[in-house]
Amino acid sequence: MKGLKNHAIEVLNGNWKDKIGFSVPCANLYPFQWFWDSGLIAIGFAHFDMRKAEQEIRTLLDTQWGNGFIPHIIFHTDSDSYFPGPDFHRSDLHPQSSKKYRSTGMTQPPVTGFVLEKMYNIAKDKDAVLKFIKSLIDKVYFNHKYFYENRDPQNEGLVYIYHNWESGTDNSPIWDDIWDTMNPPEYTFERRDTTHVDASERPSKREYDHYLYIIDIAKEHNYSDEKIAELSPFLVQDPLFNAMLIKSNESLINLYEKLGDSEKVNQLKEWQEKSKQSFNSKLFDEELGAYVHYDMRNERPLRYLSSSSFSPLYAGIPSTERAASMVQIMMEKFGGDHQYLCASFDPTSERFNPKKYWRGPVWVNLNWMLHNGLKRYGYKDIAERVKHDTIQILEKNGFYEYFDSRKEMHQNGKAGYGGNNFSWSAALLIDLLE
Ligand code: 2M8
């Protein structure tokens, strides 16, 4: 196990860019800073190099816009190994975008709150880390305020995402139902991802047409949240995204209590209560026994099981009864002896594809959340199984981006897909081993 941990440390140090102070998720394939990657990477660094962990978060939060928004990709350097780059995204169209950094005009799951609390819990020198947290926690609070004030048009306590890239689960089969309602033009562009990774493991050209078209609509309206809520063909309340916000609210409450800021604590508690209530009344699917996405544009639930369906465990959202039903469904459909936990999409669905990115493979970040969520609800053995499965797939294949969920595929060590030496796979392995 020591060998695996040392290898993980090497991967993280290899992806660290000291001059600016951030990590790339993966050389060549993802040559910039990504929002939720950065947060999860900081958790790994916190175990062996707190300076880098702090710098990672400092750099991320420095990119915040005047309205509290934090972008999903920050283009710190020029690179032609990634498409679409800053000239396509044009974040400068938004009147409050950062003058210092070029970025996208979309965001990603808000992990920063719970990352700060994790860093505090990991730290040996608590006073030093609390000082660091104090210096920038208000930026995270401001980010949550942005979400509640700009991404919740019906005032439900649930925030929307307007693009599949905001979800983090880019080409999930769940989005197929939304693509069916759209007919974007055929764009002409040069893909770069498929020069680094086998095309069969990545989204299709037609899927990319949809991705670009939604951005074009947002750009036409200078990334106005209001206009996006009114016009974007993609407008979804995502259980994973909202669970990350709720988990981060919880952490901010804990941290502000330590810092003695009762005003912020009260506001966060108010948001939190409303969010949890709506989450449970709107996103739980009784028949499926777990949480699902809600398509606001077409006013319908998207009734599919995915690893996102179980992520609310991590944020303490379900009642113990609901948690029991979720665990039962998870074990029945995703957890048979021939499977590694946890496939990213329902293995019993005809849309399941165990090799293709977010259409089925196992991802270490979701496994890490599920492990912690299962522990939180007292499912010790299943939490251990998730941990054990994660360690085994990393040991057999290396620090890939995603992995085949079928055990039989791991016999020759070629069941790791996407990018290799992938940062969050390494970072969260380090945390799982602690
Ligand atoms: C993947 O997404 C990017 C776009 O954001 C891409 O495919 O080009 C996703 O897995 C996302 O969740 C992740 O943050 C990003 C970088 O690792 O890669």
Side-chain angles (χ1 to χ4, degrees):
M1 218 55 88
K2 200 138 194 260
L4 193 63
K5 184 175 169 187
N6 287 340
H7 186 185
I9 292 175
E10 261 170 46
V11 169
L12 283 187
N13 282 333
N15 288 339
W16 171 253
K17 305 289 167 201
D18 202 47
K19 217 164 132 206
I20 299 169
F22 77 100
S23 303
V24 296
C26 177
N28 301 321
L29 182 61
Y30 304 123
F32 311 110
Q33 185 173 24
W34 261 258
F35 183 168
W36 78 325
D37 295 71
S38 253
L40 302 176
I41 289 165
I43 293 175
F45 272 133
H47 286 284
F48 67 97
D49 191 336
M50 197 54 97
R51 178 190 74 86
K52 284 184 185 158
E54 290 184 358
Q55 191 54 51
E56 182 84 50
I57 298 299
R58 210 176 280 123
T59 306
L60 177 69
L61 294 179
D62 195 43
T63 70
Q64 186 165 46
W65 293 7
N67 60 351
F69 174 93
I70 298 173
H72 116 281
I73 308 176
I74 302 99
F75 301 107
H76 289 293
T77 50
D78 287 326
S79 167
D80 56 11
S81 81
Y82 186 82
F83 175 84
D87 296 339
F88 183 84
H89 284 283
R90 293 284 317 274
S91 56
D92 57 297
L93 290 171
H94 191 285
Q96 287 177 290
S97 62
S98 167
K99 303 283 169 282
K100 190 168 163 193
Y101 299 98
R102 291 190 302 169
S103 72
T104 59
M106 64 182 81
T107 189
Q108 262 193 328
V111 297
T112 340
F114 73 75
V115 169
L116 289 184
E117 192 183 20
K118 266 303 277 185
M119 285 170 66
Y120 178 81
N121 291 340
I122 294 166
K124 294 205 174 65
D125 186 347
K126 304 270 184 225
D127 289 346
V129 169
L130 196 60
K131 210 165 138 203
F132 159 76
I133 290 171
K134 193 172 176 202
S135 73
L136 44 62
I137 188 172
D138 286 352
K139 293 187 183 185
V140 183
Y141 176 86
F142 188 31
N143 185 230
H144 287 213
K145 188 164 185 279
Y146 158 79
F147 280 122
Y148 285 113
E149 290 182 357
N150 300 281
R151 292 288 191 111
D152 182 13
Q154 289 164 19
N155 200 12
E156 296 169 280
L158 294 175
V159 305
Y160 72 71
I161 55 171
Y162 79 89
H163 198 288
N164 54 302
W165 279 335
E166 292 201 314
S167 71
T169 58
D170 296 3
N171 70 337
S172 168
I174 297 162
W175 314 138
D176 295 3
D177 285 11
I178 297 179
W179 310 148
D180 283 346
T181 69
M182 292 170 59
N183 189 18
E186 296 264 359
Y187 283 81
T188 310
F189 58 91
E190 206 184 314
R191 290 274 289 272
R192 299 300 161 100
D193 55 332
T194 44
T195 63
H196 312 297
V197 168
D198 193 311
S200 68
E201 298 166 18
R202 294 285 304 176
S204 67
K205 154 77 173 64
R206 191 61 186 143
E207 280 171 301
Y208 261 74
D209 287 337
H210 290 85
Y211 305 172
L212 300 181
Y213 183 57
I214 308 170
I215 299 173
D216 269 343
I217 295 172
K219 273 168 27 183
E220 239 173 73
H221 300 281
N222 300 329
Y223 289 111
S224 147
D225 293 306
E226 234 169 76
K227 283 286 173 198
I228 286 171
E230 201 185 307
L231 298 167
S232 177
F234 189 113
L235 205 73
V236 170
Q237 288 162 329
D238 178 325
L240 172 62
F241 196 98
N242 279 280
M244 296 298 92
L245 183 63
I246 290 173
K247 176 69 188 171
S248 281
N249 278 339
E250 178 180 272
S251 292
L252 290 184
I253 292 169
N254 294 339
L255 292 171
Y256 274 122
E257 271 170 356
K258 272 191 219 314
L259 294 168
D261 189 337
S262 56
E263 212 176 292
K264 300 252 173 44
V265 169
N266 292 342
Q267 177 59 73
L268 282 157
K269 282 187 174 165
E270 211 178 284
W271 287 333
Q272 186 74 328
E273 203 178 311
K274 188 164 174 181
S275 289
K276 278 191 169 182
Q277 217 165 38
S278 297
F279 198 112
N280 271 311
S281 58
K282 191 167 183 184
L283 303 184
F284 193 77
D285 188 305
E286 294 286 350
E287 221 174 289
L288 291 176
Y291 294 88
V292 298
H293 297 66
Y294 188 82
D295 173 1
M296 294 177 84
R297 177 58 62 233
N298 303 292
E299 297 182 350
R300 56 179 178 172
L302 299 169
R303 305 192 54 240
Y304 301 99
L305 290 172
S306 63
S307 46
S308 302
S309 303
F310 309 117
S311 63
L313 290 169
Y314 179 53
I317 294 166
S319 62
T320 48
E321 291 75 23
R322 280 189 173 174
S325 115
M326 289 161 77
V327 172
Q328 192 191 335
I329 297 295
M330 185 168 106
M331 292 313 283
E332 264 172 38
K333 297 207 173 206
F334 297 67
D337 288 343
H338 59 294
Q339 291 162 310
Y340 280 120
L341 281 169
C342 177
S344 45
F345 190 70
D346 184 354
T348 65
S349 160
E350 57 185 25
R351 291 186 183 179
F352 174 69
N353 180 338
K355 277 191 159 180
K356 212 175 177 65
Y357 202 37
W358 288 97
R359 298 184 75 88
V362 175
W363 285 76
V364 173
N365 60 337
L366 263 296
N367 270 17
W368 176 85
M369 269 168 227
L370 295 183
H371 168 75
N372 285 298
L374 289 161
K375 262 201 326 203
R376 179 173 184 154
Y377 280 84
Y379 292 95
K380 231 176 124 207
D381 292 350
I382 304 173
E384 273 309 302
R385 154 99 191 264
V386 175
K387 176 175 164 177
H388 177 261
D389 284 7
T390 311
I391 293 171
Q392 204 170 85
I393 54 178
L394 291 169
E395 255 173 353
K396 281 180 187 268
N397 302 283
F399 290 94
Y400 274 89
E401 188 181 3
Y402 40 97
F403 301 86
D404 210 298
S405 58
R406 299 165 299 178
K407 281 193 178 161
E408 56 180 307
M409 301 302 289
H410 289 250
Q411 267 146 20
N412 56 8
K414 288 214 176 87
Y417 306 132
N420 195 359
N421 294 326
F422 189 74
S423 296
W424 81 38
S425 300
L428 298 176
L429 179 271
I430 295 172
D431 190 64
L432 282 175
L433 290 180
E434 290 302 319

